[in-house]
Amino acid sequence: ITTGGGVDTVHLTAVDLNVVETVDTGDGVDTIFAIQTSLNDTTSDVIDGGAGTGDTLSISVTGTVAPFGNNASLAGIENVTFTTDAMVMDLGNQTEALNVTTANGTNGVTFGGTAANKFTGGTGADTLTLTQAALAAAGTSTGGTGANVLALNAASTGIVDANFANMSLFQTLTLTGIS
C-alpha cells in the first residue's frame, strides 16, 4: 500500500499484512491503524510513515506484537499508541526516537538503541524495559498512575543517578544481567 503526500489514514486488519508486505504513507501527518495480529510478520513486512513528522502507528487488540525484524521494518513513525490494554511491544531494534503511549491496564514496551525515546504509561501496571544506553538517551518518560516497573536488561557498569533524570512514576527498578 503506497499513498501520496498529505494526511493519510490506513487501516490494517488481521489478514492485511499477510497479503500486503509494505505500507508507505509518504509525506504528511499520517496514521496507520493496526490490530495486534496484523503485525505478527514483522521480520519481512515494512511500515513506513514517510518523510513527514507526527506519523502514528495506533495498535489495538490485546496481545504481544512480534518484534520488528530490523530498524527498516518500522520507519518514519514518530508515535506509537496502544488503544487497548494488555499489549506488549518490543522496539529494541529501532534506532529512531519514538513516543509510545499505552492504554490503561498492564502493558509492556522494550526500547533499545540510543534514541531519545519517550514512554507514557496509563493507569495500569506498565513495564518499560531498557538497556543502559537506551536509559541514558531516553526522553521524558512516565509510568503513569499504576504500580510500574523500570527494567534494565543488559550488563553495564556505567549506570549513574543522572541516567534516571527523565524517568518518573516507576515504583520498581529491576536489574537483569547488570554487573
Side-chain angles (χ1 to χ4, degrees), residues 39 57 59 65 68 74 80 82 87-91 108-110:
L39 298 174
L57 174 61
I59 307 168
V65 175
F68 285 89
L74 180 66
V80 176
F82 297 173
M87 296 284 301
V88 176
M89 188 170 196
D90 184 344
L91 297 165
V109 173
T110 299

Side-chain angles (χ1 to χ4, degrees), residues 59-86:
I59 307 168
S60 64
V61 179
T62 299
T64 300
V65 175
F68 285 89
N70 57 59
N71 186 53
S73 295
L74 180 66
I77 298 291
E78 291 79 33
N79 304 298
V80 176
T81 59
F82 297 173
T83 60
T84 56
D85 60 2

Side-chain angles (χ1 to χ4, degrees), residues 141-149 167-171:
S141 294
T142 180
T145 59
N148 305 298
V149 176
M167 299 290 138
S168 65
L169 299 175
F170 291 95
Q171 290 73 29

Side-chain angles (χ1 to χ4, degrees), residues 19 40 44 52 84 91 95 131 153 156 158 160:
V19 176
N40 279 335
S44 62
T84 56
L91 297 165
T95 60
T131 62
N153 67 354
S156 176
V160 295

Side-chain angles (χ1 to χ4, degrees), residues 121-147:
T123 59
D126 297 314
T127 299
L128 175 59
T129 304
L130 305 163
T131 62
Q132 187 274 332
L135 174 66
T140 302
S141 294
T142 180
T145 59

Side-chain angles (χ1 to χ4, degrees), residues 3 6-12 23-35 39 47-60 68 74-83 89 91 96-102:
T3 64
V7 177
D8 300 311
T9 302
V10 175
H11 292 266
L12 301 173
V23 176
D24 185 346
T25 58
D27 293 343
V29 179
D30 307 311
T31 303
I32 300 169
F33 293 96
I35 65 170
L39 298 174
I47 295 178
D48 189 344
T53 59
D55 300 310
T56 299
L57 174 61
S58 180
I59 307 168
S60 64
F68 285 89
L74 180 66
I77 298 291
E78 291 79 33
N79 304 298
V80 176
T81 59
F82 297 173
T83 60
M89 188 170 196
L91 297 165
E96 69 276 17
L98 296 167
N99 297 316
V100 176
T101 303
T102 68

